[in-house]
Amino acid sequence: MYTIPPAYLTPFFLALNAVSSIGIVYTNKVIFKTQGFGYGTLLTVIHFAITTLGLFICQMAGVFETKRVDIIKIIPLCLSFCGFVALTNMSLVYNTIGFYQLIKVLTTPLLVIIQTLFYGKTFSLKIKLALTITCVGVAIATGSDSQANFIGTVVALSALLITCMYQIWVGTKQTELQCNSFQLLYYQAPISCVMLIPISFFSDNLMETFYMPCFDTMCWILFSGVLAFFVNISIFLVIGETSPVTYNVLGHFKLCVILSLGFVAFGDDINFRILSGILLTLTGIFWYTNLKMAEGAKAKEEAEKAELKTVEVSHDEEGSDEKDA
């Protein structure tokens, strides 16, 4: 059985997330607009139900082994995900698209602040500058009509905070509970799915407007669910192997690809502002990537030196023991 070399695992996880996320964006676009299935929260419930089934199949196939964990410790992760879904949908209702995108850009700097203040993480000045360039580029590329109101601002900021906490907990819970991405998502997916069911009844107004989709729509929903499985597991894998900040930078890259594909493949409007924003975003992303690769190479070199030093000390102690004997 072929296994991916360790050196290529992180790039593979990043690529898997990018491809599946971009794919699900356009698949959901078909479901919502072409197929007329406008139940966003219910679709998320279906996604997590299919993710749960996919994880069960992976577990039966021996991809990973289940691990007994304290369910209570996973509840905050599940609640933060449900809050993220509900508040994001509410933010789209109460805010303009421009203001929604502008607040969403603040996820990256808020993650840096939270991790610095509460988790002891450090970010170099160059990393901060690269992230600033990336966020400014995204704001330019996506910013349009940014009208704010009190309720919309409160909802948007609440969604922003809960999104940051969800992404941070995806990483910290794997360390805290000593489980891998598959094992953690194996518990989170079904619990979140059950929690979202009552939310979907209110947010999607299912009691009054629900209709049974046709076979064609159901096929699209099933395909979207399969993509959601890869999106969900790759989120856990990417954050587990890198960090929430790196995952957000990947998200900005995906946005650039989506905007570019919309123009090239679907004839979406593009102007100088959007184009310059994309180029500025990519500049920040490539700089950030180079800085992280340099940090990784330096950390690897220091680890090798420390290991070599340990071996030398061990040899010296052995020689000393022989002389004493």
Side-chain angles (χ1 to χ4, degrees):
M1 180 178 176
Y2 177 77
T3 56
I4 302 172
Y8 296 101
L9 276 177
T10 299
F12 173 75
F13 295 153
L14 292 168
L16 176 63
N17 182 262
V19 173
S20 57
S21 296
I22 293 170
I24 202 171
V25 166
Y26 287 105
T27 302
N28 289 349
K29 192 173 182 179
V30 171
I31 292 172
F32 292 140
K33 293 188 175 181
T34 306
Q35 300 296 322
F37 187 85
Y39 310 109
T41 306
L42 177 60
L43 185 61
T44 305
V45 172
I46 296 171
H47 284 172
F48 263 79
I50 294 175
T51 296
T52 301
L53 177 61
L55 288 167
F56 178 74
I57 293 172
C58 288
Q59 188 270 331
M60 294 294 292
V63 176
F64 70 98
E65 295 181 358
T66 56
K67 180 178 180 179
R68 298 181 70 88
V69 298
D70 188 352
I71 299 297
I72 299 299
K73 294 182 178 180
I74 299 180
I75 294 300
L77 182 66
C78 301
L79 288 173
S80 63
F81 174 79
C82 294
F84 150 69
V85 172
L87 290 170
T88 298
N89 290 339
M90 288 178 62
S91 182
L92 285 170
V93 172
Y94 288 105
N95 295 302
T96 62
I97 296 296
F99 186 75
Y100 167 81
Q101 291 288 0
L102 183 62
I103 294 296
K104 193 175 180 181
V105 171
L106 297 178
T107 304
T108 302
L110 184 57
L111 278 171
V112 172
I113 293 171
I114 292 175
Q115 290 196 296
T116 300
L117 294 178
F118 300 101
Y119 291 89
K121 301 289 185 181
T122 56
F123 300 87
S124 67
L125 179 60
K126 289 183 178 180
I127 289 288
K128 292 177 181 177
L129 289 174
L131 292 174
T132 300
I133 292 173
T134 302
C135 293
V136 170
V138 173
I140 293 173
T142 60
S144 54
D145 180 21
S146 300
Q147 297 180 0
N149 59 78
F150 178 75
I151 297 178
T153 301
V154 171
V155 171
L157 291 177
S158 300
L160 172 65
L161 179 60
I162 202 72
T163 299
C164 289
M165 294 314 304
Y166 173 70
Q167 293 180 8
I168 290 173
W169 283 337
V170 165
T172 58
K173 288 295 181 182
Q174 293 184 47
T175 303
E176 175 189 340
L177 301 175
Q178 295 183 340
C179 57
N180 60 36
S181 301
F182 283 92
Q183 292 169 332
L184 182 59
L185 186 59
Y186 185 78
Y187 285 97
Q188 191 239 319
I191 297 174
S192 296
C193 180
V194 172
M195 286 182 173
L196 279 174
I197 291 175
I199 296 176
S200 67
F201 272 96
F202 294 100
S203 63
D204 293 336
N205 197 19
L206 297 180
M207 294 296 292
E208 297 181 6
T209 63
F210 181 74
Y211 69 94
M212 183 60 65
C214 64
F215 178 76
D216 188 39
T217 304
M218 293 176 67
C219 289
W220 278 105
I221 292 174
L222 178 62
F223 180 60
S224 176
V226 173
L227 289 175
F229 166 77
F230 290 110
V231 170
N232 290 327
I233 189 59
S234 62
I235 289 174
F236 279 64
L237 290 168
V238 168
I239 294 179
E241 290 291 324
T242 58
S243 69
V245 173
T246 297
Y247 171 71
N248 265 265
V249 172
L250 175 63
H252 297 321
F253 174 75
K254 291 183 291 188
L255 177 61
C256 290
V257 174
I258 290 170
L259 291 174
S260 301
L261 282 177
F263 169 69
V264 174
F266 298 96
D268 293 345
D269 293 334
I270 194 167
N271 51 40
F272 177 76
R273 175 183 59 80
I274 297 175
L275 184 60
S276 60
I278 291 174
L279 293 176
L280 188 60
T281 301
L282 292 177
T283 300
I285 290 171
F286 290 138
W287 189 18
Y288 175 84
T289 302
N290 287 331
L291 291 172
K292 295 300 290 185
M293 289 176 65
E295 286 184 359
K298 184 178 179 181
K300 183 179 180 181
E301 182 180 350
E302 290 177 352
E304 290 175 348
K305 287 182 179 179
E307 184 178 356
L308 181 60
K309 187 175 181 180
T310 302
V311 172
E312 290 175 349
V313 171
S314 178
H315 286 168
D316 291 342
E317 290 177 350
E318 290 177 0
S320 177
D321 292 341
E322 290 177 358
K323 289 179 180 180
D324 292 340

